[in-house]
Amino acid sequence: MALVPTTTPTINNGPLIAEVDMGSDSNAPTVRATVVQASTIFYDTPATLDKAERLLAEAAGYGSQLVVFPEAFIGGYPRGSNFGIIIGIRTAKGREDFRKYHSSAIDVPGPEVDRLAAMAGKYKVHLVMGVIERDGYTLYCTVLFFDSQGHYLGKHRKLMPTGMERVMWGFGDGSTIPVFETPLGKIGAVICWENRMPLLRTAMYAKGVEIYCAPTADAREVWQASMTHIALEGGCFVLSANQFCRRKDYPPPPEYVFAGTEEDLTPDSVVCAGGSVIISPLGNVLAGPNYEGEALISADLDLGEIARAKFDFDVVGHYSRPEVLSLSVKDHPTNPVTFASTSTKS
């Protein structure tokens, strides 16, 4: 594995690093994939989109065919914020914090989605992008998928927000757990701690996922164990992208406060250390984890590894026991209001 420092551009006055594994000698197709480890420009969605395009161009310059961004890259992950929530109490500042966060989210479809599609087409890459989706006045933690021709393919909404995330994000349903068949392979995504839900993983395996994207906000070292387990369990490549953030990547206090820890932080304090990684279907780490800074973390994926891994263990095939254990997935939309008839104009 070579470490290749970039010359241009730089981010936050530091170099991007590309880690490239060139070791495949298989006759099977090879896909060059990149996971982006970088911070949102919080409360500034246009600037974050500009940053995303710079990173996408950089990855495409390395020959990447698939680029995966972190959870909530567009719209931001509100790390440290409690939105003024105490049981039974809301604060005026917390309500205003939510208003600003809602304003930073994007509509799907919408102009920001159109721009992301155009980026994918311009740089001829498949793009998997973490966003905060705005649907009326409810927000969702969502992943968007685009092909290299600039087409929007669809989305996955996080089924189960974790802890305080449930204060500001809605819950996805079974209608948005897609796996897309692409020229690069079958691509899907599961977000952060959803990856710890065995039944959701099983649904993804049943859909044939081959390149399993895992955008996250979890920088703990134990996250690596989960990613390795999923690669082995699913016989798939796992691409986990996380942000690398310092305190100064968020607005300063009092506009934005890290509840309970603000007094211990300096502008350069690391508040999310990354840990982005790419793992093969046989559990081998191909690139990363990186805990050093913003980076492009890349590897060549030998798709022949999928068959080699499935020979040992095919969780929804020869290693399943459907007469004993089975799963039913409710994959229809769950709308809170439906109308029995359609109104017509007189």
Side-chain angles (χ1 to χ4, degrees):
M1 182 185 302
L3 297 182
V4 185
T6 67
T7 53
T8 57
T10 59
I11 293 184
N12 292 341
N13 299 317
L16 286 171
I17 301 295
E19 302 182 9
V20 182
D21 176 32
M22 301 290 287
S24 172
D25 61 356
S26 168
N27 292 324
T30 298
V31 172
R32 178 158 293 183
T34 294
V35 293
V36 173
Q37 180 166 290
S39 174
T40 301
I41 302 173
F42 211 82
Y43 288 153
D44 194 338
T45 296
T48 302
L49 285 164
D50 290 343
K51 182 174 182 177
E53 182 161 8
R54 293 194 300 271
L55 292 164
L56 200 60
E58 187 81 12
Y62 288 123
S64 293
Q65 299 159 277
L66 170 64
V67 181
V68 181
F69 278 76
E71 177 179 13
F73 186 77
I74 305 297
Y77 187 84
R79 186 175 301 278
S81 178
N82 61 15
F83 290 88
I85 294 293
I86 303 171
I87 293 177
I89 298 173
R90 305 289 186 272
T91 66
K93 183 181 185 306
R95 294 180 191 279
E96 177 60 13
D97 288 346
F98 181 79
R99 185 202 63 77
K100 290 189 289 187
Y101 191 51
H102 178 272
S103 181
S104 298
I106 67 171
D107 296 325
V108 181
E112 294 85 2
V113 177
D114 293 341
R115 182 175 176 189
L116 290 168
M119 288 182 202
K122 178 179 179 181
Y123 298 106
K124 305 302 181 188
V125 298
H126 284 72
L127 172 62
V128 178
M129 175 64 74
V131 307
I132 299 304
E133 177 191 358
R134 179 177 55 222
D135 187 353
Y137 290 93
T138 296
L139 304 181
Y140 295 92
C141 183
T142 298
V143 169
L144 306 181
F145 300 84
F146 303 87
D147 70 16
S148 60
Q149 303 305 305
H151 300 128
Y152 166 64
L153 300 178
K155 68 185 178 184
H156 165 59
R157 283 177 172 174
K158 193 172 189 177
L159 283 178
M160 176 54 68
T162 300
M164 281 287 291
E165 293 173 358
R166 298 171 200 168
V167 168
M168 70 280 186
W169 295 342
F171 291 48
D173 62 34
S175 69
T176 67
I177 50 173
V179 170
F180 296 100
E181 189 155 4
T182 77
L184 307 184
K186 296 178 181 178
I187 301 172
V190 178
I191 305 169
C192 205
W193 277 24
E194 284 188 316
N195 286 282
R196 297 171 65 174
M197 299 172 70
L199 301 185
L200 177 55
R201 297 200 308 268
T202 302
M204 296 293 287
Y205 305 149
K207 291 190 173 192
V209 66
E210 296 170 329
I211 301 176
Y212 182 114
C213 303
T216 189
D218 191 341
R220 299 172 306 155
E221 289 188 14
V222 72
W223 180 252
Q224 304 301 317
S226 290
M227 297 300 94
T228 301
H229 173 76
I230 291 169
L232 288 168
E233 180 182 67
C236 52
F237 289 95
V238 172
L239 282 60
S240 183
N242 193 6
Q243 298 194 32
F244 183 94
C245 307
R246 298 185 186 274
R247 176 62 185 88
K248 63 188 177 185
D249 292 318
Y250 288 81
E255 180 183 4
Y256 192 102
V257 175
F258 277 69
T261 62
E262 187 66 59
E263 62 277 6
D264 299 324
L265 299 176
T266 70
D268 287 324
S269 294
V270 175
V271 295
C272 183
S276 302
V277 69
I278 300 175
I279 301 175
S280 82
L282 289 170
N284 299 313
V285 175
L286 301 180
N290 182 305
Y291 297 101
E292 302 303 317
E294 295 201 334
L296 298 179
I297 300 164
S298 302
D300 288 341
L301 314 183
D302 171 11
L303 299 187
E305 284 290 278
I306 297 170
R308 298 182 195 110
K310 298 279 193 182
F311 174 65
D312 294 342
F313 186 85
D314 185 355
V315 68
V316 291
H318 63 75
Y319 220 92
S320 65
R321 288 291 305 278
E323 76 281 14
V324 179
L325 302 168
S326 63
L327 172 65
S328 176
V329 180
K330 299 180 177 69
D331 59 356
H332 58 279
T334 54
N335 299 312
V337 179
T338 58
F339 294 91
S341 62
T342 301
S343 297
T344 58
K345 293 182 179 180
S346 59

